[in-house]
């Protein structure tokens, strides 16, 4: 799958639109001004649920469980292992308004590298919010999604993270995270968007990139 991801770019810059292959699933990932289209390598079946394993053309790996980060490889900071306790399913019940300040709570433990920082504990509160205006969404109207924000208190406090945001689609009848903004450290944040490639332009083969 890493070879397949590399073939998408064929030496192009990461900001260029690759030659998409309709046989693959893609994740549009934004890191600052850098845009990366990652390829779904495989799904790792775990007790907590299916974990999607995504590859970039340069070897970075991102693991998502129901849209939430549960591991990375090849980044400047990596989450090597993530464990949840009491994580709610998507979408959270709309029994609480976005302005009430309360919501559903759960716990996350994560291990960071480099630095061998193990067992960082995040106490997380998830609340529904109004559709935000400042997102990196490129293929979906923000108002078509249900939005949630997650704020956390971390131990140690030096490992605290900015708030995360998730956009949920229920159009298929099953809630699915189609967009999220998540931070690995206080100053290293990423956005992830489930990406449907545009139809190939006239004169180009739909299987280009194979």
């Amino acid at each position: 799958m890493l070879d397949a991801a590399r073939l998408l770019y064929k030496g192009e810059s990461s900001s260029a639109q690759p030659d998409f292959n309709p046989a693959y699933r893609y994740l549009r990932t934004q890191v600052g001004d850098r845009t990366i289209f990652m390829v779904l390598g495989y799904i790792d079946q775990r007790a907590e649920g299916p974990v999607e394993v995504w590859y970039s053309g340069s070897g970075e790996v991102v693991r998502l469980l129901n849209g939430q980060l549960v591991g990375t490889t090849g980044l400047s900071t990596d989450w090597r292992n993530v464990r949840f306790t009491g994580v709610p399913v998507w979408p959270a019940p709309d029994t609480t308004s976005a302005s009430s300040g309360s919501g559903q709570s759960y716990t996350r433990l994560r291990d960071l590298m480099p630095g061998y920082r193990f067992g960082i504990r995040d106490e997380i509160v998830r609340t529904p919010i109004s559709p935000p205006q400042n997102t990196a969404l490129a293929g979906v109207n923000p108002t078509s999604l249900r939005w949630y924000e997650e704020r956390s208190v971390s131990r140690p406090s030096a490992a605290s993270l900015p708030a995360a945001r998730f956009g949920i689609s229920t159009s298929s009848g099953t809630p699915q995270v189609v967009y999220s903004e998540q931070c690995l450290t206080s100053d290293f944040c990423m956005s992830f968007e489930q990406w449907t490639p545009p139809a190939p332009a006239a004169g180009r083969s739909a299987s280009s990139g194979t």
Side-chain angles (χ1 to χ4, degrees):
M1 290 307 303
L2 179 56
D3 289 340
R6 286 171 175 158
L7 283 172
L8 289 174
Y9 291 94
K10 297 180 179 178
E12 298 175 6
S13 69
S14 61
S15 61
Q17 286 275 344
D19 289 330
F20 295 106
N21 185 326
Y24 297 134
R25 285 178 55 191
Y26 296 95
L27 188 72
R28 184 179 185 271
T29 303
Q30 190 97 18
V31 186
D33 295 330
R34 183 184 178 205
T35 300
I36 309 166
F37 289 93
M38 308 186 82
V39 178
L40 179 65
Y42 62 95
I43 295 179
D44 184 12
Q45 297 292 343
R46 299 186 185 178
E48 309 95 311
V51 174
E52 297 174 340
V53 184
W54 299 88
Y55 291 86
S56 75
S58 53
E60 296 98 341
V61 180
V62 168
R63 296 171 176 83
L64 299 177
L65 169 64
N66 295 327
Q68 294 181 292
L69 271 174
V70 293
T72 65
T73 305
L75 306 180
S76 58
T77 297
D78 280 321
W79 284 11
R80 290 298 177 87
N81 190 25
V82 176
R83 291 86 69 200
F84 296 113
T85 301
V87 62
V89 298
W90 297 109
D94 288 330
T95 55
T96 306
S97 68
S99 61
S100 68
S102 62
Q104 291 186 307
S105 301
Y106 68 98
T107 300
R108 175 178 63 203
L109 294 176
R110 52 190 166 96
D111 302 336
L112 268 66
M113 290 286 286
Y116 299 98
R117 290 165 285 176
F118 296 110
I120 296 172
R121 184 182 183 91
D122 303 313
E123 300 294 343
I124 301 171
V125 176
R126 177 188 295 173
T127 56
I129 60 172
S130 301
Q133 301 298 315
N134 57 334
T135 73
L137 266 171
V140 180
N141 188 327
T143 61
S144 69
L145 305 177
R146 299 174 67 176
W147 288 88
Y148 298 86
E149 183 179 75
E150 292 190 344
R151 294 187 175 272
S152 61
V153 175
S154 302
R155 288 183 288 176
S157 59
S160 295
L161 302 173
R165 297 192 297 194
F166 298 85
I168 314 297
S169 172
T170 57
S171 60
S172 67
T174 301
Q176 180 186 20
V177 177
V178 298
Y179 177 82
S180 68
E181 298 167 356
Q182 304 179 66
C183 298
L184 283 82
T185 67
S186 61
D187 57 0
F188 181 24
C189 299
M190 309 174 73
S191 70
F192 306 101
E193 181 178 359
Q194 298 281 341
W195 188 252
T196 300
R204 297 188 63 180
S205 170
S207 61
S208 61
T210 58

